[in-house]
Amino acid sequence: MTIRVVVVDDQQLVRTGFGSILSSEDDIELVGEASNGVEALDVCRKTNPDLVVMDIRMPVMDGVEATRRLLVEHGATAPRVLILTTFDLDELVHAALRAGASGFLLKDAPPDELFRAVRAIAAGDALIAPSVTRRLLDHFAASGPSAASTTARRAVETLTVREREVLQLIARGRSNQEIAATMFVAETTVKTHVGRIFMKLPARDRIQATVIAYDAGLVVPGTD
């Protein structure tokens, strides 16, 4: 399957660089570019991409608001968003994850890491709580309850005890295989639990489920 990608960054050289790198792969097709969030929304309407590689800090409309509007405008068919940033502990990245981004990547990441991120997110796996994402969520969750805490707690209350256990492990970055080994169940059973968790919360992917787990207080920052 070819992954249709739009690159959004306010710097022409950065857009060109990322576009060239992504286009070098047989399974990735660059279908559009934009210099800010407003342009990104317009390009996505015209090209219907699978994924948007989105800069976080831009004039006119930043990556956070653009991500939020993409999900509002397109709903369940919205393209997945990979946020690009120069700072791993960036409050805007945290806001973008809350807005619906499926993960983020530092701009100086090597091409192989970019390819892995694009393919994982396009496949619906998201970035499975990499260490930098854990540090970011730990950092901002430790600052206290957010406005989303009440909504998150109510969503988590709809889960069974077993589903909450699985969600905790997802939020700690465990793969389905690792969760199965920890809980002494078959991996297919874990997949069933994960599907039900996504449906009940609701969450599009593991990153969104992780954000909800932190907001609900199901995961204590700094613990493993």
Side-chain angles (χ1 to χ4, degrees), residues 105-128:
L105 196 66
L106 298 180
K107 283 190 175 182
D108 59 359
D112 284 350
E113 192 170 337
L114 173 63
F115 299 147
R116 283 196 298 272
V118 166
R119 288 172 178 133
I121 290 177
D125 294 333
L127 297 183
I128 306 172

PDB file of all heavy atoms in Angstrom, residues 105-128:
ATOM      1  N   LEU A 105       8.083  13.500  16.328  1.00  0.00           N
ATOM      2  CA  LEU A 105       9.453  13.147  15.981  1.00  0.00           C
ATOM      3  C   LEU A 105      10.294  14.424  16.001  1.00  0.00           C
ATOM      4  O   LEU A 105       9.823  15.484  15.582  1.00  0.00           O
ATOM      5  CB  LEU A 105       9.473  12.533  14.576  1.00  0.00           C
ATOM      6  CG  LEU A 105      10.708  11.751  14.144  1.00  0.00           C
ATOM      7  CD1 LEU A 105      10.849  10.475  14.986  1.00  0.00           C
ATOM      8  CD2 LEU A 105      10.595  11.382  12.673  1.00  0.00           C
ATOM      9  N   LEU A 106      11.520  14.311  16.493  1.00  0.00           N
ATOM     10  CA  LEU A 106      12.423  15.456  16.463  1.00  0.00           C
ATOM     11  C   LEU A 106      12.892  15.692  15.034  1.00  0.00           C
ATOM     12  O   LEU A 106      13.122  14.752  14.275  1.00  0.00           O
ATOM     13  CB  LEU A 106      13.629  15.206  17.373  1.00  0.00           C
ATOM     14  CG  LEU A 106      13.299  15.018  18.863  1.00  0.00           C
ATOM     15  CD1 LEU A 106      14.584  14.783  19.649  1.00  0.00           C
ATOM     16  CD2 LEU A 106      12.547  16.209  19.417  1.00  0.00           C
ATOM     17  N   LYS A 107      13.045  16.961  14.658  1.00  0.00           N
ATOM     18  CA  LYS A 107      13.401  17.294  13.284  1.00  0.00           C
ATOM     19  C   LYS A 107      14.770  16.760  12.874  1.00  0.00           C
ATOM     20  O   LYS A 107      15.034  16.589  11.685  1.00  0.00           O
ATOM     21  CB  LYS A 107      13.365  18.812  13.075  1.00  0.00           C
ATOM     22  CG  LYS A 107      11.958  19.371  12.920  1.00  0.00           C
ATOM     23  CD  LYS A 107      12.005  20.821  12.487  1.00  0.00           C
ATOM     24  CE  LYS A 107      10.610  21.358  12.210  1.00  0.00           C
ATOM     25  NZ  LYS A 107      10.629  22.762  11.744  1.00  0.00           N
ATOM     26  N   ASP A 108      15.635  16.524  13.848  1.00  0.00           N
ATOM     27  CA  ASP A 108      16.968  16.027  13.509  1.00  0.00           C
ATOM     28  C   ASP A 108      17.051  14.500  13.543  1.00  0.00           C
ATOM     29  O   ASP A 108      18.139  13.928  13.514  1.00  0.00           O
ATOM     30  CB  ASP A 108      18.025  16.627  14.436  1.00  0.00           C
ATOM     31  CG  ASP A 108      17.780  16.303  15.905  1.00  0.00           C
ATOM     32  OD1 ASP A 108      16.776  15.627  16.210  1.00  0.00           O
ATOM     33  OD2 ASP A 108      18.595  16.733  16.748  1.00  0.00           O
ATOM     34  N   ALA A 109      15.894  13.837  13.590  1.00  0.00           N
ATOM     35  CA  ALA A 109      15.892  12.367  13.571  1.00  0.00           C
ATOM     36  C   ALA A 109      16.424  11.884  12.225  1.00  0.00           C
ATOM     37  O   ALA A 109      16.197  12.509  11.188  1.00  0.00           O
ATOM     38  CB  ALA A 109      14.478  11.844  13.792  1.00  0.00           C
ATOM     39  N   PRO A 110      17.131  10.758  12.213  1.00  0.00           N
ATOM     40  CA  PRO A 110      17.653  10.214  10.950  1.00  0.00           C
ATOM     41  C   PRO A 110      16.524   9.727  10.054  1.00  0.00           C
ATOM     42  O   PRO A 110      15.425   9.408  10.531  1.00  0.00           O
ATOM     43  CB  PRO A 110      18.549   9.056  11.409  1.00  0.00           C
ATOM     44  CG  PRO A 110      18.019   8.672  12.762  1.00  0.00           C
ATOM     45  CD  PRO A 110      17.529   9.942  13.376  1.00  0.00           C
ATOM     46  N   PRO A 111      16.763   9.635   8.741  1.00  0.00           N
ATOM     47  CA  PRO A 111      15.727   9.206   7.795  1.00  0.00           C
ATOM     48  C   PRO A 111      15.073   7.880   8.155  1.00  0.00           C
ATOM     49  O   PRO A 111      13.855   7.740   8.023  1.00  0.00           O
ATOM     50  CB  PRO A 111      16.493   9.112   6.466  1.00  0.00           C
ATOM     51  CG  PRO A 111      17.570  10.125   6.596  1.00  0.00           C
ATOM     52  CD  PRO A 111      17.995  10.059   8.033  1.00  0.00           C
ATOM     53  N   ASP A 112      15.853   6.899   8.594  1.00  0.00           N
ATOM     54  CA  ASP A 112      15.273   5.590   8.929  1.00  0.00           C
ATOM     55  C   ASP A 112      14.226   5.714  10.025  1.00  0.00           C
ATOM     56  O   ASP A 112      13.209   5.012  10.011  1.00  0.00           O
ATOM     57  CB  ASP A 112      16.367   4.611   9.373  1.00  0.00           C
ATOM     58  CG  ASP A 112      17.172   4.079   8.191  1.00  0.00           C
ATOM     59  OD1 ASP A 112      16.753   4.331   7.049  1.00  0.00           O
ATOM     60  OD2 ASP A 112      18.206   3.427   8.412  1.00  0.00           O
ATOM     61  N   GLU A 113      14.475   6.614  10.984  1.00  0.00           N
ATOM     62  CA  GLU A 113      13.513   6.810  12.067  1.00  0.00           C
ATOM     63  C   GLU A 113      12.247   7.482  11.543  1.00  0.00           C
ATOM     64  O   GLU A 113      11.133   7.168  11.978  1.00  0.00           O
ATOM     65  CB  GLU A 113      14.142   7.649  13.180  1.00  0.00           C
ATOM     66  CG  GLU A 113      13.332   7.665  14.468  1.00  0.00           C
ATOM     67  CD  GLU A 113      14.086   8.300  15.613  1.00  0.00           C
ATOM     68  OE1 GLU A 113      15.333   8.334  15.569  1.00  0.00           O
ATOM     69  OE2 GLU A 113      13.416   8.775  16.563  1.00  0.00           O
ATOM     70  N   LEU A 114      12.421   8.412  10.602  1.00  0.00           N
ATOM     71  CA  LEU A 114      11.266   9.061   9.970  1.00  0.00           C
ATOM     72  C   LEU A 114      10.432   8.041   9.212  1.00  0.00           C
ATOM     73  O   LEU A 114       9.206   8.016   9.336  1.00  0.00           O
ATOM     74  CB  LEU A 114      11.744  10.160   9.020  1.00  0.00           C
ATOM     75  CG  LEU A 114      10.664  10.825   8.156  1.00  0.00           C
ATOM     76  CD1 LEU A 114       9.639  11.557   9.018  1.00  0.00           C
ATOM     77  CD2 LEU A 114      11.306  11.791   7.158  1.00  0.00           C
ATOM     78  N   PHE A 115      11.085   7.166   8.451  1.00  0.00           N
ATOM     79  CA  PHE A 115      10.367   6.140   7.694  1.00  0.00           C
ATOM     80  C   PHE A 115       9.577   5.226   8.627  1.00  0.00           C
ATOM     81  O   PHE A 115       8.419   4.897   8.360  1.00  0.00           O
ATOM     82  CB  PHE A 115      11.336   5.301   6.857  1.00  0.00           C
ATOM     83  CG  PHE A 115      12.107   6.080   5.828  1.00  0.00           C
ATOM     84  CD1 PHE A 115      13.406   5.708   5.496  1.00  0.00           C
ATOM     85  CD2 PHE A 115      11.543   7.180   5.205  1.00  0.00           C
ATOM     86  CE1 PHE A 115      14.118   6.422   4.543  1.00  0.00           C
ATOM     87  CE2 PHE A 115      12.248   7.908   4.251  1.00  0.00           C
ATOM     88  CZ  PHE A 115      13.546   7.526   3.918  1.00  0.00           C
ATOM     89  N   ARG A 116      10.222   4.793   9.710  1.00  0.00           N
ATOM     90  CA  ARG A 116       9.547   3.896  10.671  1.00  0.00           C
ATOM     91  C   ARG A 116       8.320   4.575  11.270  1.00  0.00           C
ATOM     92  O   ARG A 116       7.266   3.955  11.423  1.00  0.00           O
ATOM     93  CB  ARG A 116      10.509   3.474  11.782  1.00  0.00           C
ATOM     94  CG  ARG A 116      11.514   2.409  11.371  1.00  0.00           C
ATOM     95  CD  ARG A 116      12.165   1.772  12.582  1.00  0.00           C
ATOM     96  NE  ARG A 116      12.927   2.732  13.375  1.00  0.00           N
ATOM     97  CZ  ARG A 116      14.201   3.031  13.155  1.00  0.00           C
ATOM     98  NH1 ARG A 116      14.865   2.453  12.171  1.00  0.00           N
ATOM     99  NH2 ARG A 116      14.821   3.906  13.926  1.00  0.00           N
ATOM    100  N   ALA A 117       8.475   5.868  11.619  1.00  0.00           N
ATOM    101  CA  ALA A 117       7.365   6.603  12.226  1.00  0.00           C
ATOM    102  C   ALA A 117       6.196   6.736  11.254  1.00  0.00           C
ATOM    103  O   ALA A 117       5.041   6.501  11.621  1.00  0.00           O
ATOM    104  CB  ALA A 117       7.844   7.985  12.674  1.00  0.00           C
ATOM    105  N   VAL A 118       6.486   7.104  10.015  1.00  0.00           N
ATOM    106  CA  VAL A 118       5.439   7.271   9.008  1.00  0.00           C
ATOM    107  C   VAL A 118       4.703   5.954   8.769  1.00  0.00           C
ATOM    108  O   VAL A 118       3.465   5.913   8.743  1.00  0.00           O
ATOM    109  CB  VAL A 118       6.042   7.791   7.685  1.00  0.00           C
ATOM    110  CG1 VAL A 118       5.046   7.652   6.537  1.00  0.00           C
ATOM    111  CG2 VAL A 118       6.470   9.245   7.833  1.00  0.00           C
ATOM    112  N   ARG A 119       5.444   4.871   8.635  1.00  0.00           N
ATOM    113  CA  ARG A 119       4.814   3.571   8.365  1.00  0.00           C
ATOM    114  C   ARG A 119       4.006   3.083   9.562  1.00  0.00           C
ATOM    115  O   ARG A 119       2.918   2.519   9.397  1.00  0.00           O
ATOM    116  CB  ARG A 119       5.888   2.556   7.982  1.00  0.00           C
ATOM    117  CG  ARG A 119       6.467   2.812   6.597  1.00  0.00           C
ATOM    118  CD  ARG A 119       7.646   1.935   6.289  1.00  0.00           C
ATOM    119  NE  ARG A 119       8.145   2.182   4.937  1.00  0.00           N
ATOM    120  CZ  ARG A 119       9.433   2.354   4.633  1.00  0.00           C
ATOM    121  NH1 ARG A 119      10.356   2.281   5.587  1.00  0.00           N
ATOM    122  NH2 ARG A 119       9.796   2.587   3.383  1.00  0.00           N
ATOM    123  N   ALA A 120       4.536   3.275  10.767  1.00  0.00           N
ATOM    124  CA  ALA A 120       3.820   2.823  11.955  1.00  0.00           C
ATOM    125  C   ALA A 120       2.513   3.582  12.125  1.00  0.00           C
ATOM    126  O   ALA A 120       1.456   2.992  12.360  1.00  0.00           O
ATOM    127  CB  ALA A 120       4.690   3.000  13.198  1.00  0.00           C
ATOM    128  N   ILE A 121       2.574   4.904  11.980  1.00  0.00           N
ATOM    129  CA  ILE A 121       1.374   5.721  12.167  1.00  0.00           C
ATOM    130  C   ILE A 121       0.353   5.455  11.062  1.00  0.00           C
ATOM    131  O   ILE A 121      -0.850   5.338  11.323  1.00  0.00           O
ATOM    132  CB  ILE A 121       1.753   7.215  12.225  1.00  0.00           C
ATOM    133  CG1 ILE A 121       2.509   7.504  13.525  1.00  0.00           C
ATOM    134  CG2 ILE A 121       0.512   8.096  12.141  1.00  0.00           C
ATOM    135  CD1 ILE A 121       2.997   8.919  13.643  1.00  0.00           C
ATOM    136  N   ALA A 122       0.812   5.335   9.841  1.00  0.00           N
ATOM    137  CA  ALA A 122      -0.105   5.056   8.724  1.00  0.00           C
ATOM    138  C   ALA A 122      -0.800   3.718   8.898  1.00  0.00           C
ATOM    139  O   ALA A 122      -1.953   3.543   8.490  1.00  0.00           O
ATOM    140  CB  ALA A 122       0.653   5.083   7.403  1.00  0.00           C
ATOM    141  N   ALA A 123      -0.125   2.765   9.539  1.00  0.00           N
ATOM    142  CA  ALA A 123      -0.712   1.442   9.768  1.00  0.00           C
ATOM    143  C   ALA A 123      -1.669   1.432  10.948  1.00  0.00           C
ATOM    144  O   ALA A 123      -2.322   0.427  11.227  1.00  0.00           O
ATOM    145  CB  ALA A 123       0.398   0.416   9.997  1.00  0.00           C
ATOM    146  N   GLY A 124      -1.758   2.570  11.647  1.00  0.00           N
ATOM    147  CA  GLY A 124      -2.660   2.657  12.792  1.00  0.00           C
ATOM    148  C   GLY A 124      -2.036   2.250  14.100  1.00  0.00           C
ATOM    149  O   GLY A 124      -2.707   2.208  15.129  1.00  0.00           O
ATOM    150  N   ASP A 125      -0.731   1.964  14.087  1.00  0.00           N
ATOM    151  CA  ASP A 125      -0.067   1.541  15.316  1.00  0.00           C
ATOM    152  C   ASP A 125       0.347   2.718  16.175  1.00  0.00           C
ATOM    153  O   ASP A 125       0.536   2.585  17.364  1.00  0.00           O
ATOM    154  CB  ASP A 125       1.192   0.721  14.983  1.00  0.00           C
ATOM    155  CG  ASP A 125       0.844  -0.587  14.300  1.00  0.00           C
ATOM    156  OD1 ASP A 125      -0.269  -1.088  14.537  1.00  0.00           O
ATOM    157  OD2 ASP A 125       1.675  -1.082  13.529  1.00  0.00           O
ATOM    158  N   ALA A 126       0.514   3.887  15.548  1.00  0.00           N
ATOM    159  CA  ALA A 126       1.040   5.072  16.207  1.00  0.00           C
ATOM    160  C   ALA A 126       2.449   4.784  16.688  1.00  0.00           C
ATOM    161  O   ALA A 126       3.030   3.753  16.380  1.00  0.00           O
ATOM    162  CB  ALA A 126       0.152   5.516  17.363  1.00  0.00           C
ATOM    163  N   LEU A 127       3.016   5.730  17.393  1.00  0.00           N
ATOM    164  CA  LEU A 127       4.323   5.505  18.002  1.00  0.00           C
ATOM    165  C   LEU A 127       4.044   4.971  19.391  1.00  0.00           C
ATOM    166  O   LEU A 127       3.457   5.652  20.220  1.00  0.00           O
ATOM    167  CB  LEU A 127       5.118   6.810  18.071  1.00  0.00           C
ATOM    168  CG  LEU A 127       5.452   7.420  16.706  1.00  0.00           C
ATOM    169  CD1 LEU A 127       6.295   8.672  16.887  1.00  0.00           C
ATOM    170  CD2 LEU A 127       6.192   6.425  15.835  1.00  0.00           C
ATOM    171  N   ILE A 128       4.455   3.763  19.657  1.00  0.00           N
ATOM    172  CA  ILE A 128       4.041   3.075  20.874  1.00  0.00           C
ATOM    173  C   ILE A 128       4.815   3.590  22.079  1.00  0.00           C
ATOM    174  O   ILE A 128       5.776   2.975  22.535  1.00  0.00           O
ATOM    175  CB  ILE A 128       4.173   1.550  20.723  1.00  0.00           C
ATOM    176  CG1 ILE A 128       3.417   1.089  19.479  1.00  0.00           C
ATOM    177  CG2 ILE A 128       3.647   0.825  21.956  1.00  0.00           C
ATOM    178  CD1 ILE A 128       3.629  -0.357  19.117  1.00  0.00           C
TER     179      ILE A 128
END
